[in-house]
Amino acid sequence: MFETDQWAFSGVDGQISLHKWQKTIDLITGLFSAPSGYIVQATSKGYRVVIRSNEGGSNFETNSILPPQTPLFCKYVAENNNILYVNDACNNEQWNTMPEVVEDGVQSYLGLPIHWPEGDVFGTLCLKDTKQTSYTDEYFELIEQLRDLIEDDLALIYSFEQMREIAMLDPLTNIYNRRALTLLAQQKLNLALRLGFDVCCLFIDINDFKKLNDTCGHEVGDKALIILANTLKTHLRDADIVGRLGGDEFIAVMQISDKSKLSYIIAKITTEYSKALIKESVCDLSLSIGYSFTDKQKQPFDALLNNADQAMYKNKQAYKQAKKLNNTSSTLNHSDKKASH
């Protein structure tokens, strides 16, 4: 899901025009005759100036990050989620020791919180002045209206990210769907060709999955799929691409530095999946896993996927044959025991 406690922008953003935010700040500082104005983002990592006015001086440069423990007017606004107006900071005992007052000469501060659409605080919209001010109600109404324009842009970003997640994620397992998997895997293959590293594609299929659905019902089957997705996400690296093609077919696309470690990775996935099934009271299931490697030449992801699919199919057939022989052996042993009586 979309994380609001992450840095939203770094330099020029592709989803909204930060130029519009710049014009908003410049307009506010002009109307208020203030030497400096800011849009500051607040996260658990600290405070970062996203936009500052072009006019006037400032000790805070755009995109610089201030630690969360830094005493700031903006920190008070963000933590209390409320407007703050200090018109004569030097003569106010609550604020006259603030570094912004002592070191930067801030005499007046007006700040109000900016919100994400679901109510979380994004940061602050604020004005600073080196002289005492006396803003009227009309000023407060004006800055609130301009704050609303910024929040409208944040709502667009939020909606865009949600739609992108919906379009790229499998709704049951919350990992990449086939469309996203193909797109991201091809990007990794193109990068591997340029930088010269190996990419491995794992094709993972749950053995006897249809039997599980027929015997225990689709709710249990869905649970087995979710557990496999979670196992792959937990025990593979964040940089690995994990997706579901459909049904009980899962894919993992990984950068491999040492091919000899692949057998360990496959064994780890199989073992951890079995443990998770038992922990969640789902009958134990095994996996058929096939793999393929890039061949140092430009190739479409579909070719890599097809090779891994074929390898998985061979393992699946071997599993079925072994199971058939085991069942036959068990039947013969049972018959021998009956005959001996």
Side-chain angles (χ1 to χ4, degrees):
M1 295 298 294
F2 182 68
E3 296 288 341
T4 57
D5 192 37
Q6 302 291 331
W7 298 125
F9 312 111
S10 180
V12 178
D13 184 79
Q15 296 173 29
I16 69 168
S17 173
L18 290 183
H19 178 66
K20 183 171 71 174
W21 284 18
Q22 183 70 64
K23 290 180 68 175
T24 301
I25 284 295
D26 292 342
L27 176 63
I28 292 173
T29 54
L31 292 172
F32 282 69
S33 300
S36 58
Y38 306 89
I39 295 175
V40 178
Q41 186 181 3
T43 75
S44 60
K45 305 179 207 59
Y47 299 84
R48 183 170 65 91
V49 178
V50 179
I51 297 291
R52 57 161 289 181
S53 58
N54 286 328
E55 299 298 327
S58 170
N59 292 335
F60 299 150
E61 294 184 359
T62 306
N63 295 324
S64 63
I65 297 172
L66 300 170
Q69 67 273 16
T70 306
L72 298 167
F73 286 113
C74 287
K75 178 180 180 180
Y76 181 91
V77 173
E79 289 184 346
N80 289 276
N81 191 19
N82 204 355
I83 190 169
L84 173 65
Y85 177 43
V86 181
N87 73 325
D88 188 9
C90 291
N91 295 308
N92 188 316
E93 292 184 359
Q94 183 178 357
W95 306 108
N96 60 12
T97 59
M98 293 282 286
E100 293 166 273
V101 178
V102 177
E103 300 172 11
D104 304 339
V106 173
Q107 177 72 349
S108 170
Y109 174 89
L110 171 61
L112 62 165
I114 303 170
H115 302 95
W116 290 103
E118 292 194 347
D120 294 335
V121 173
F122 166 82
T124 64
L125 170 62
C126 60
L127 292 168
K128 297 178 185 179
D129 207 320
T130 54
K131 63 181 184 298
Q132 184 177 345
T133 59
S134 54
Y135 300 139
T136 62
D137 290 343
E138 287 77 12
Y139 280 91
F140 292 118
E141 184 177 351
L142 173 61
I143 198 170
E144 287 175 357
Q145 291 291 327
L146 294 171
R147 186 268 309 272
D148 291 346
L149 294 177
I150 296 170
E151 290 185 343
D152 287 344
D153 281 338
L154 291 178
L156 287 175
I157 295 172
Y158 191 85
S159 298
F160 176 82
E161 290 295 335
Q162 285 189 316
M163 288 187 290
R164 183 164 65 177
E165 287 179 358
I166 291 170
M168 295 184 71
L169 294 182
D170 173 59
L172 175 65
T173 60
N174 205 35
I175 59 177
Y176 290 123
N177 58 25
R178 182 170 194 141
R179 176 187 175 193
L181 179 68
T182 301
L183 176 65
L184 295 173
Q186 189 62 57
Q187 290 176 349
K188 185 174 280 289
L189 262 61
N190 295 341
L191 183 63
L193 183 65
R194 290 200 304 271
L195 300 182
F197 59 79
D198 292 314
V199 172
C200 174
C201 176
L202 295 183
F203 199 116
I204 305 161
D205 184 274
I206 302 175
N207 293 323
D208 301 316
F209 182 70
K210 184 178 184 303
K211 183 178 178 181
L212 175 70
N213 270 337
D214 293 342
T215 304
C216 302
H218 288 280
E219 184 176 344
V220 176
D222 287 349
K223 193 172 183 180
L225 296 174
I226 294 169
I227 292 172
L228 179 52
N230 291 338
T231 299
L232 294 173
K233 287 191 292 185
T234 301
H235 297 285
L236 295 178
R237 298 166 301 185
D238 290 341
D240 297 329
I241 301 167
V242 177
R244 179 187 177 205
L245 286 186
D248 61 329
E249 296 178 337
F250 290 74
I251 302 297
V253 180
M254 310 175 294
Q255 178 180 337
I256 294 289
S257 57
D258 184 354
K259 292 183 179 181
S260 65
K261 293 181 179 179
L262 183 59
S263 58
Y264 168 79
I265 295 172
I266 291 175
K268 182 73 172 177
I269 291 171
T270 303
T271 302
E272 295 299 331
Y273 182 50
S274 181
K275 288 180 181 177
L277 288 170
I278 294 171
K279 184 178 180 181
E280 296 294 327
S281 301
V282 179
C283 64
D284 196 11
L285 298 166
S286 62
L287 301 172
S288 289
I289 302 178
Y291 64 86
S292 61
F293 285 97
T294 48
D295 57 10
K296 301 296 185 183
Q297 296 182 6
K298 187 173 183 179
Q299 62 185 130
F301 171 63
D302 285 347
L304 190 70
L305 181 64
N306 184 59
N307 291 338
D309 185 12
Q310 291 180 18
M312 184 280 297
Y313 180 76
K314 289 180 181 179
N315 291 335
K316 172 78 80 175
Q317 293 304 111
Y319 163 79
K320 289 181 177 179
Q321 186 64 26
K323 185 178 179 181
K324 184 177 180 181
L325 290 173
N326 184 58
N327 290 339
T328 301
S329 176
S330 297
T331 301
L332 290 174
N333 289 336
H334 182 67
S335 298
D336 289 344
K337 287 180 181 179
K338 289 181 65 177
S340 66
H341 288 292

